[in-house]
Coordinates of all heavy atoms in Angstrom, one line a residue:
V4 N -12.0 26.2 -16.2 CA -10.8 25.5 -16.1 C -10.2 25.6 -14.6 O -9.6 24.6 -14.2 CB -9.7 26.2 -17.0 CG1 -9.4 27.6 -16.6 CG2 -8.4 25.3 -17.1
E5 N -10.5 26.6 -13.9 CA -10.1 26.7 -12.5 C -10.9 25.7 -11.6 O -10.3 25.0 -10.7 CB -10.3 28.1 -11.9 CG -9.4 29.2 -12.6 CD -9.8 30.6 -12.1 OE1 -10.9 30.9 -11.9 OE2 -8.8 31.4 -12.0
R6 N -12.2 25.6 -11.8 CA -13.0 24.7 -11.1 C -12.5 23.2 -11.4 O -12.4 22.4 -10.4 CB -14.5 24.8 -11.5 CG -15.4 24.0 -10.7 CD -16.8 24.3 -11.0 NE -17.2 24.0 -12.4 CZ -17.5 25.1 -13.3 NH1 -17.5 26.3 -12.8 NH2 -17.9 24.8 -14.5
M7 N -12.2 22.9 -12.7 CA -11.8 21.5 -12.9 C -10.4 21.2 -12.3 O -10.2 20.1 -11.9 CB -11.8 21.3 -14.5 CG -13.2 21.2 -15.0 SD -13.3 20.5 -16.7 CE -12.3 21.8 -17.6
S8 N -9.6 22.2 -12.2 CA -8.3 22.1 -11.6 C -8.4 21.7 -10.1 O -7.8 20.9 -9.6 CB -7.5 23.3 -11.8 OG -6.2 23.2 -11.1
E9 N -9.4 22.4 -9.5 CA -9.6 22.2 -8.0 C -10.3 20.8 -7.9 O -10.0 20.0 -6.9 CB -10.5 23.3 -7.4 CG -9.8 24.5 -7.2 CD -10.5 25.5 -6.3 OE1 -11.2 24.9 -5.4 OE2 -10.5 26.7 -6.4
I10 N -11.2 20.4 -8.8 CA -11.8 19.0 -8.7 C -10.7 18.0 -8.8 O -10.7 17.0 -8.0 CB -12.8 18.9 -9.8 CG1 -14.0 19.8 -9.5 CG2 -13.3 17.5 -9.9 CD1 -15.1 19.8 -10.7
Y11 N -9.8 18.2 -9.7 CA -8.7 17.2 -9.9 C -7.8 17.2 -8.7 O -7.4 16.1 -8.3 CB -7.8 17.6 -11.1 CG -6.8 16.6 -11.5 CD1 -7.1 15.4 -12.0 CD2 -5.4 16.9 -11.2 CE1 -6.1 14.4 -12.3 CE2 -4.5 16.0 -11.5 CZ -4.8 14.7 -12.0 OH -3.8 13.8 -12.3
G12 N -7.6 18.3 -8.0 CA -6.8 18.3 -6.8 C -7.6 17.5 -5.7 O -6.9 16.8 -4.9
L13 N -8.9 17.7 -5.5 CA -9.7 17.0 -4.6 C -9.6 15.5 -4.8 O -9.6 14.7 -3.9 CB -11.1 17.5 -4.6 CG -11.3 18.9 -4.1 CD1 -12.8 19.3 -4.4 CD2 -11.1 19.0 -2.6
L14 N -9.7 15.2 -6.1 CA -9.6 13.7 -6.5 C -8.3 13.1 -6.2 O -8.3 12.0 -5.7 CB -9.9 13.6 -8.0 CG -10.3 12.3 -8.6 CD1 -11.5 11.7 -7.9 CD2 -10.5 12.3 -10.1
Q15 N -7.2 13.9 -6.4 CA -5.9 13.3 -6.0 C -5.8 13.1 -4.5 O -5.1 12.2 -4.0 CB -4.8 14.3 -6.5 CG -4.7 14.4 -8.0 CD -4.3 13.1 -8.6 OE1 -5.1 12.4 -9.2 NE2 -3.0 12.7 -8.5
Q16 N -6.4 14.0 -3.8 CA -6.3 13.9 -2.3 C -7.2 12.8 -1.7 O -6.8 12.1 -0.8 CB -6.7 15.3 -1.7 CG -6.7 15.4 -0.2 CD -7.1 16.7 0.3 OE1 -7.3 17.7 -0.4 NE2 -7.3 16.8 1.6
N17 N -8.4 12.7 -2.2 CA -9.4 11.8 -1.6 C -9.7 10.5 -2.4 O -10.2 9.6 -1.8 CB -10.7 12.6 -1.4 CG -10.6 13.8 -0.5 OD1 -9.9 13.8 0.5 ND2 -11.2 14.8 -0.9
G18 N -9.3 10.5 -3.6 CA -9.5 9.4 -4.4 C -10.9 9.2 -5.0 O -11.1 8.5 -6.0
V19 N -11.8 10.1 -4.6 CA -13.3 10.1 -5.1 C -13.8 11.4 -4.8 O -13.6 12.1 -3.9 CB -14.1 9.0 -4.3 CG1 -14.2 9.2 -2.9 CG2 -15.5 8.8 -4.9
V20 N -14.7 11.8 -5.7 CA -15.5 13.1 -5.5 C -17.0 12.8 -5.9 O -17.3 11.9 -6.7 CB -15.0 14.2 -6.4 CG1 -13.6 14.7 -6.1 CG2 -15.0 13.8 -7.9
R21 N -17.9 13.5 -5.3 CA -19.3 13.4 -5.5 C -19.9 14.6 -6.1 O -19.5 15.7 -5.8 CB -20.0 13.1 -4.1 CG -19.6 11.8 -3.5 CD -20.4 11.6 -2.1 NE -21.8 11.6 -2.4 CZ -22.5 10.5 -2.6 NH1 -21.9 9.4 -2.7 NH2 -23.8 10.6 -2.8
V22 N -20.8 14.4 -7.1 CA -21.4 15.5 -7.8 C -22.1 16.4 -6.9 O -22.0 17.7 -7.0 CB -22.4 14.9 -8.8 CG1 -23.3 16.0 -9.5 CG2 -21.7 14.1 -10.0
D23 N -23.0 15.9 -5.9 CA -23.8 16.8 -5.1 C -22.8 17.7 -4.2 O -23.1 18.8 -4.0 CB -24.7 15.9 -4.2 CG -24.1 14.9 -3.4 OD1 -22.9 14.6 -3.6 OD2 -24.8 14.3 -2.6
E24 N -21.8 17.1 -3.7 CA -20.9 17.9 -2.8 C -20.1 18.8 -3.6 O -19.9 20.0 -3.1 CB -19.9 16.9 -2.1 CG -20.6 15.9 -1.1 CD -19.6 14.9 -0.5 OE1 -18.4 14.9 -1.0 OE2 -20.0 14.1 0.4
L25 N -19.7 18.5 -4.8 CA -19.0 19.5 -5.7 C -19.9 20.7 -6.0 O -19.4 21.8 -6.1 CB -18.4 18.8 -6.9 CG -17.3 17.8 -6.7 CD1 -17.0 17.1 -8.0 CD2 -16.1 18.5 -6.1
A26 N -21.1 20.4 -6.3 CA -22.1 21.4 -6.7 C -22.3 22.4 -5.5 O -22.3 23.6 -5.8 CB -23.5 20.8 -7.0
V27 N -22.4 22.0 -4.3 CA -22.4 22.8 -3.2 C -21.1 23.6 -3.0 O -21.1 24.8 -2.7 CB -22.7 22.0 -1.9 CG1 -22.7 22.9 -0.6 CG2 -24.2 21.4 -2.0
R28 N -20.0 22.9 -3.1 CA -18.7 23.6 -2.9 C -18.5 24.7 -3.8 O -18.0 25.8 -3.4 CB -17.6 22.5 -3.0 CG -16.2 23.1 -2.8 CD -15.2 22.0 -3.1 NE -13.8 22.4 -2.8 CZ -13.2 22.2 -1.7 NH1 -13.7 21.6 -0.7 NH2 -11.9 22.7 -1.5
F29 N -18.8 24.5 -5.2 CA -18.5 25.6 -6.1 C -19.7 26.4 -6.5 O -19.7 27.3 -7.3 CB -18.0 24.8 -7.4 CG -16.7 24.1 -7.2 CD1 -16.6 22.8 -7.2 CD2 -15.5 24.9 -7.0 CE1 -15.4 22.1 -7.0 CE2 -14.3 24.3 -6.8 CZ -14.2 22.9 -6.8
Q30 N -20.9 26.1 -5.8 CA -22.1 26.9 -5.9 C -22.5 27.0 -7.5 O -22.8 28.1 -8.0 CB -21.9 28.3 -5.4 CG -21.6 28.4 -3.9 CD -21.5 29.8 -3.4 OE1 -21.2 30.7 -4.1 NE2 -21.8 29.9 -2.1
V31 N -22.6 25.8 -8.0 CA -23.0 25.6 -9.4 C -24.0 24.5 -9.4 O -24.2 23.7 -8.4 CB -21.9 25.3 -10.4 CG1 -20.9 26.5 -10.5 CG2 -21.1 24.1 -10.0
S32 N -24.7 24.2 -10.6 CA -25.6 23.2 -10.6 C -24.9 21.8 -10.8 O -23.8 21.7 -11.2 CB -26.6 23.4 -11.9 OG -25.8 23.2 -13.1
E33 N -25.6 20.7 -10.4 CA -25.1 19.4 -10.5 C -24.9 19.1 -12.0 O -23.9 18.3 -12.3 CB -26.0 18.4 -9.9 CG -26.2 18.5 -8.4 CD -26.9 17.4 -7.8 OE1 -27.3 16.4 -8.5 OE2 -27.2 17.4 -6.5
M34 N -25.7 19.6 -12.9 CA -25.4 19.4 -14.4 C -24.1 20.0 -14.8 O -23.4 19.4 -15.6 CB -26.6 20.0 -15.2 CG -26.5 19.8 -16.6 SD -26.4 18.1 -17.1 CE -28.1 17.6 -16.7
T35 N -23.8 21.2 -14.2 CA -22.5 21.8 -14.6 C -21.3 20.9 -14.1 O -20.3 20.7 -14.8 CB -22.4 23.1 -13.9 OG1 -23.4 24.0 -14.4 CG2 -21.0 23.8 -14.1
I36 N -21.4 20.3 -12.9 CA -20.4 19.4 -12.4 C -20.3 18.2 -13.3 O -19.2 17.7 -13.6 CB -20.7 19.1 -11.0 CG1 -20.6 20.3 -10.0 CG2 -19.7 17.9 -10.5 CD1 -19.2 20.9 -10.0
R37 N -21.5 17.7 -13.7 CA -21.4 16.5 -14.5 C -20.7 16.7 -15.9 O -19.9 15.9 -16.4 CB -22.8 15.9 -14.8 CG -23.5 15.3 -13.6 CD -24.8 14.6 -13.9 NE -25.5 14.0 -12.7 CZ -26.4 14.7 -12.1 NH1 -26.8 15.9 -12.5 NH2 -27.0 14.2 -11.0
R38 N -21.0 17.9 -16.4 CA -20.3 18.3 -17.6 C -18.8 18.4 -17.4 O -18.0 18.0 -18.3 CB -20.8 19.6 -18.2 CG -22.2 19.5 -18.9 CD -22.5 20.6 -19.7 NE -22.6 21.9 -18.9 CZ -23.8 22.4 -18.5 NH1 -24.9 21.7 -18.8 NH2 -23.8 23.4 -17.8
D39 N -18.4 19.0 -16.3 CA -16.9 19.0 -15.9 C -16.3 17.7 -15.9 O -15.3 17.4 -16.5 CB -16.8 19.7 -14.6 CG -17.0 21.2 -14.6 OD1 -17.1 21.8 -15.7 OD2 -17.2 21.8 -13.5
L40 N -17.0 16.7 -15.2 CA -16.5 15.3 -15.1 C -16.4 14.6 -16.4 O -15.5 13.9 -16.6 CB -17.4 14.6 -14.0 CG -17.4 15.1 -12.6 CD1 -18.2 14.2 -11.7 CD2 -16.0 15.3 -12.0
E41 N -17.4 14.9 -17.2 CA -17.5 14.3 -18.6 C -16.2 14.8 -19.4 O -15.5 14.0 -20.0 CB -18.7 14.6 -19.3 CG -20.0 13.9 -18.8 CD -21.2 14.4 -19.5 OE1 -21.1 15.3 -20.4 OE2 -22.3 14.0 -19.1
K42 N -15.9 16.0 -19.3 CA -14.8 16.6 -20.0 C -13.4 16.0 -19.4 O -12.6 15.7 -20.2 CB -14.8 18.1 -19.9 CG -13.7 18.8 -20.8 CD -13.8 20.3 -20.8 CE -12.9 20.9 -21.8 NZ -11.5 20.6 -21.6
M43 N -13.4 16.0 -18.1 CA -12.2 15.4 -17.5 C -12.0 13.9 -17.8 O -10.9 13.5 -18.0 CB -12.2 15.7 -16.0 CG -12.2 17.1 -15.6 SD -12.5 17.5 -13.9 CE -10.9 16.8 -13.2
E44 N -13.1 13.2 -17.9 CA -13.0 11.8 -18.3 C -12.4 11.7 -19.7 O -11.6 10.8 -20.0 CB -14.3 11.1 -18.1 CG -14.2 9.6 -18.4 CD -15.5 8.9 -18.2 OE1 -16.5 9.3 -18.6 OE2 -15.5 7.8 -17.5
R45 N -12.9 12.5 -20.6 CA -12.5 12.4 -22.0 C -10.9 12.8 -22.1 O -10.2 12.3 -22.9 CB -13.2 13.4 -22.9 CG -14.7 13.1 -23.2 CD -15.3 13.8 -24.3 NE -15.3 15.2 -24.1 CZ -16.3 15.9 -23.5 NH1 -17.3 15.2 -23.1 NH2 -16.2 17.2 -23.3
E46 N -10.5 13.6 -21.2 CA -9.1 14.0 -21.1 C -8.2 12.9 -20.3 O -7.0 13.1 -20.3 CB -8.9 15.3 -20.4 CG -9.5 16.5 -21.2 CD -9.5 17.8 -20.4 OE1 -9.2 17.8 -19.2 OE2 -9.8 18.9 -21.0
G47 N -8.9 11.9 -19.9 CA -8.1 10.8 -19.2 C -7.7 11.1 -17.8 O -6.9 10.4 -17.2
K48 N -8.4 12.0 -17.2 CA -8.0 12.4 -15.8 C -8.8 11.8 -14.7 O -8.4 11.7 -13.5 CB -8.2 14.0 -15.6 CG -7.3 14.8 -16.5 CD -7.6 16.3 -16.3 CE -6.7 17.2 -17.1 NZ -7.0 18.6 -16.9
L49 N -9.9 11.1 -15.0 CA -10.7 10.4 -14.0 C -11.5 9.3 -14.7 O -11.6 9.2 -15.9 CB -11.5 11.4 -13.2 CG -12.4 12.4 -14.0 CD1 -13.7 11.7 -14.5 CD2 -12.8 13.6 -13.1

Side-chain angles (χ1 to χ4, degrees):
V4 66
E5 293 175 322
R6 185 173 60 247
M7 288 194 298
S8 177
E9 286 198 30
I10 291 173
Y11 185 73
L13 291 169
L14 195 59
Q15 293 296 105
Q16 180 180 349
N17 300 317
V19 62
V20 291
R21 295 180 58 89
V22 170
D23 54 352
E24 293 175 354
L25 293 174
V27 172
R28 181 185 183 95
F29 295 108
Q30 298 183 336
V31 296
S32 69
E33 292 188 6
M34 182 58 70
T35 296
I36 295 298
R37 290 193 184 93
R38 285 197 294 264
D39 289 345
L40 298 182
E41 288 174 5
K42 186 174 189 302
M43 294 173 72
E44 185 175 47
R45 290 196 299 270
E46 294 173 350
K48 293 180 178 179
L49 52 77

